[in-house]
Structure formats: C-alpha cells, structure tokens
Amino acid sequence: MAIKICLDAGHYGKYNQSPVVPEYYESDMNWKLHRKLKAALENCGFTVVTTRACKDKDLPLFDRGMAAKGCDLLLSMHSNAASTEPVDYITILHQVNDSRTDIDNIGASLAEQLAPVITEVMGVTQKTPRVDGVLSSTDRDGDGIKNDNHYGILHGARMAETPALIIEHSFHTNRRAAKWLLEECNLDKLAKAEAQVIAAFFGCDKKIEKKPPEQPVRYRAQVGAYTLENNAKNMVTKLQRAGFEGCILKEDAYHKVLSGGFYEKADAATHVTLLKSKGFSAFVKAVN
C-alpha cells in the first residue's frame, strides 16, 4: 500500500514579515518549501496531497488538519519568531494524548530523526533542536474550542487519525536564518533532505533524483565581474560574511560572482534589492 502524505503551508497571503529582513515573509517561504517537498516526495514514490490549492486562500486550522484524513502523515511548514534576534534553532512539535499512542510514537520518532538533519542543512547557530509533544486536545483559552491557536492543525489531524508535525525552520526574527530561507537553492536543499529522511523512515529506499526545474532558466543576482579570480573570491567572502551565498561563474575572460538561485525572475529581483540594501551592487542575471 502506497504511503500518502499531506503537506500544509502555514499561513496564507503575505503573513509574518521578518522584522530584520523585510523581504522575507513566512507565508511565502512556507508555500515554496511545501511545493518543493511535494515534488521531492512524489519523486520518491509517495502520494502527496496539500491542505490548500491556493496560496492566498485561508482555511481554519482544524479543517487543514482534517484534510489529512486517510493519510499516513501530515507536515505543516513554518518559521518561528522570537523577541530577540540571536535565537536560531529548529523546533518540531508532534502530538501527544492519553490514547492512540501509535500516532504519538510515529510523530515523535520522525521528529527526532528530522530535527538534526534540518539543523545541519540550515546551519543554525544553536545546534540543539527542540522536539516537543503538544497535547492536541487542550482547550487552551477556555472558550470550548480545542487548540484554536496554531496547534489546532495537530488536533484536526488527530481527529483524522493521522500523525502530524509542525516544523519550525528556525526563526525569521534571526537575520541569518531569514536570509538563508530567502534563497531558492537553499529551499531545494531543505526539501531534498527532509524527503530523504521521510523516505528512510517509511522504508522507501528509492534514490531521490534531482528533478530539472520546471523552467529552463535559473535567475541569479550578479554582484561583480573580475578578470582576476582572487578578486572574485574576495567578493564571495564579503557576501558570506554578510550572510549571503556566493559562487563564481567563469564566462569568457571574467570571473562573475553570483548570489542566490531562483526559478522566478521576481524572486531574483527581490534578492537583488536585499543585496543593494546591504551595500552591494547587483542586478538580475539569467543563467542557462
């Protein structure tokens, strides 16, 4: 019997803007990541459904949890927020209850396997992830509605008899993490790593091959072009110190310094704006 997984992009529209990297919105990242993870899991042989077909459509948390009925797992994608900028670690929340410990055990076990992998891939500064159980049947504010905060999706999934996790991909209140999550190529790495852990957990040993992008052209931000390779390397170092990814592309007589990797030109343009705000000269470059 094929394994069926439900993916949820936390939040909708333009929601949870980073206070330190204004180009970052949690809702945008969640949507991109859950689409990439869907493709990676399908490539591994899983059947994958999503809680919402449209990024701008909101649905109640409980309903999104219930959308996982008939699935073997629900994953809800998020980034977290904190009152201070230095906070930078991975959090995964799973269900706990006084019954159906089979559901609890599946979620807890997978969370323990995912957390260290996401920690490594994202390069968070605080290396100890937080994996916590959430009593999904709690009426937290006493209004008669069970888990009407963001944990409500866990309650809905439990009512659907489906193990569920909320994955907080560090904190968008952290400059380093928000910049990292803005990079399309980083989301590709994250989706592939998470899919590999899930595949191993469910006993799928099919190798996840890298799928070609839907579009033949990837857009990057070009930050400089140098005849001397050492000058290009120095610029890459400056980018990295500022929290950006940098690489060198040799074209003709020039060593071109590029940052980011995007399938959509608009996303590359956003990255260019962010680079310029930090004092770099940049423009969008289409790379074949």
Side-chain angles (χ1 to χ4, degrees):
M1 179 177 172
I3 299 296
K4 186 176 181 181
I5 295 177
C6 182
L7 298 180
D8 173 66
H11 310 298
Y12 74 105
K14 286 285 188 181
Y15 192 85
N16 276 354
Q17 183 181 27
S18 168
V20 291
V21 182
E23 292 80 8
Y24 179 90
Y25 286 84
E26 181 190 355
S27 55
D28 288 347
M29 188 283 292
N30 294 337
W31 187 261
K32 290 179 182 179
L33 180 57
H34 103 297
R35 297 297 298 177
K36 291 176 183 295
L37 182 55
K38 181 176 186 291
L41 289 169
E42 288 174 339
N43 195 38
C44 196
F46 293 102
T47 298
V48 184
V49 298
T50 60
T51 58
R52 291 180 292 130
C54 175
K55 176 178 178 291
D56 296 322
K57 179 178 176 60
D58 190 22
L59 287 174
L61 290 163
F62 181 83
D63 292 353
R64 281 154 54 192
M66 283 294 293
K69 188 172 181 61
C71 294
D72 299 279
L73 177 69
L74 180 144
L75 298 174
S76 186
M77 306 286 107
H78 291 267
S79 60
N80 213 334
S83 58
T84 58
E85 184 177 340
V87 182
D88 184 20
Y89 61 85
I90 305 304
T91 302
I92 303 184
L93 305 175
H94 60 86
Q95 301 143 316
V96 294
N97 203 272
D98 56 0
S99 63
R100 293 305 304 269
T101 55
D102 55 334
I103 292 177
D104 300 340
N105 292 341
I106 290 171
S109 180
L110 179 56
E112 291 288 357
Q113 293 180 39
L114 278 168
V117 172
I118 298 172
T119 294
E120 181 178 356
V121 171
M122 286 193 64
V124 295
T125 56
Q126 293 162 276
K127 302 301 182 183
T128 302
R130 173 187 166 195
V131 176
D132 284 341
V134 174
L135 190 62
S136 62
S137 61
T138 300
D139 178 8
R140 301 179 70 87
D141 57 9
D143 64 355
I145 301 174
K146 293 181 177 179
N147 261 335
D148 44 355
N149 61 6
H150 70 283
Y151 297 157
I153 194 168
L154 298 182
H155 179 58
R158 177 171 289 284
M159 295 300 100
E161 300 186 336
T162 302
L165 303 177
I166 295 174
I167 305 178
E168 301 279 9
H169 296 85
S170 192
F171 291 72
H172 54 259
T173 44
N174 177 273
R175 190 180 307 273
R176 187 214 63 82
K179 286 182 179 179
W180 194 94
L181 290 167
L182 271 175
E183 300 276 1
E184 192 95 8
C185 56
N186 288 338
L187 297 184
D188 287 335
K189 296 175 190 174
L190 195 53
K192 183 175 180 180
E194 291 180 359
Q196 287 175 330
V197 173
I198 295 165
F201 182 82
F202 284 105
C204 174
D205 57 3
K206 177 182 175 182
K207 184 179 179 181
I208 301 175
E209 301 292 344
K210 184 177 181 181
K211 286 189 174 183
E214 294 178 0
Q215 301 175 12
V217 176
R218 167 173 277 186
Y219 296 96
R220 294 183 180 271
Q222 181 169 320
V223 185
Y226 306 90
T227 55
L228 296 178
E229 186 177 8
N230 280 342
N231 290 342
K233 289 181 177 178
N234 289 338
M235 178 54 73
V236 169
T237 299
K238 289 180 181 178
L239 285 169
Q240 292 172 343
R241 287 175 177 170
F244 298 101
E245 180 199 19
C247 63
I248 298 173
L249 175 67
K250 182 69 163 60
E251 281 188 342
D252 301 324
Y254 292 95
H255 298 85
K256 298 183 178 180
V257 178
L258 308 177
S259 179
F262 306 91
Y263 299 143
E264 300 292 337
K265 190 173 184 179
D267 293 330
T270 298
H271 189 60
V272 165
T273 300
L274 180 59
L275 286 163
K276 288 181 175 179
S277 73
K278 302 304 178 184
F280 294 97
S281 176
F283 61 89
V284 174
K285 177 180 174 60
V287 181
N288 293 323

